[in-house]
Amino acid sequence: MELSCKSEYAILALLEMATHYSSGEPMQIRQIAAQQNIPDRYLEQLLATLRRGGIVKSQRGSKGGYLLMREPWKISILEILECLEGLDVRTYEEDINPKTVDSSVVAEIWLEASQAVSSVLQKYSLQDLCEKRDSRRQLDIMYYI
């Protein structure tokens, strides 16, 4: 499984929004784009998809921008990828209808792998990513002292 550029940019943008979640202030696209080095126009499209998926909400006006719909610890990485990429293991399970014994074996292994990936991605939230990032930054600071 490979992380698409679209998903990576979206996770980076959401990570930035999670960092500023406690302020309660919406973040503007140009602010997020500058911090995470994401093209503005592309980020605009990604945030629109995430808004439709119920992960972020938009606020209009001069102080407008985007906010996380829920707390960062309640948004899993799996939920983000499902929203962006249309991944859904449950749908795949229903579609298994192998025509031969060989294809049955392949389908079973593929299903097991998909479930393992889903399990790991469900386990991590945006908050977990923030904490991992912050601890790595601490290590970098200590390394250079």
Side-chain angles (χ1 to χ4, degrees):
M1 183 174 177
E2 194 172 313
L3 186 65
S4 71
C5 186
K6 173 171 66 170
S7 291
E8 182 178 0
Y9 280 163
I11 292 170
L12 289 173
L14 291 169
L15 190 58
E16 191 64 32
M17 293 169 72
T19 302
H20 294 91
Y21 179 79
S22 60
S23 75
E25 297 291 319
M27 293 191 73
Q28 296 180 345
I29 289 175
R30 69 174 184 272
Q31 193 181 5
I32 299 167
Q35 283 295 113
Q36 294 294 337
N37 200 23
I38 303 169
D40 292 31
R41 296 257 190 228
Y42 195 49
L43 181 57
E44 196 173 331
Q45 294 170 9
L46 291 175
L47 290 172
T49 302
L50 292 168
R51 185 178 52 75
R52 286 189 299 274
I55 295 175
V56 300
K57 60 183 174 182
S58 59
Q59 183 175 314
R60 295 182 181 269
S62 61
K63 299 263 189 207
Y66 287 87
L67 295 153
L68 293 177
M69 195 79 142
R70 288 168 277 138
E71 294 88 351
W73 57 89
K74 291 185 178 176
I75 301 173
S76 74
I77 303 308
L78 179 62
E79 180 183 0
I80 297 164
L81 295 177
E82 284 177 342
C83 174
L84 292 165
E85 306 288 351
L87 302 176
D88 193 358
V89 175
R90 289 169 298 280
T91 303
Y92 182 75
E93 289 174 18
E94 296 162 5
D95 290 344
I96 294 179
N97 191 10
K99 293 170 181 41
T100 66
V101 173
D102 293 351
S103 61
S104 173
V105 170
V106 171
E108 286 173 17
I109 299 298
W110 192 254
L111 178 59
E112 185 179 341
S114 296
Q115 289 171 338
V117 167
S118 292
S119 175
V120 169
L121 295 173
Q122 182 65 43
K123 185 172 76 171
Y124 289 100
S125 69
L126 283 175
Q127 184 67 36
D128 295 326
L129 266 60
C130 285
E131 290 168 4
K132 280 181 174 286
R133 179 206 53 211
D134 294 345
S135 68
R136 291 232 175 116
R137 285 182 178 168
Q138 271 309 109
L139 288 174
D140 276 353
I141 290 170
M142 295 302 290
Y143 182 72
Y144 291 112
I145 290 178

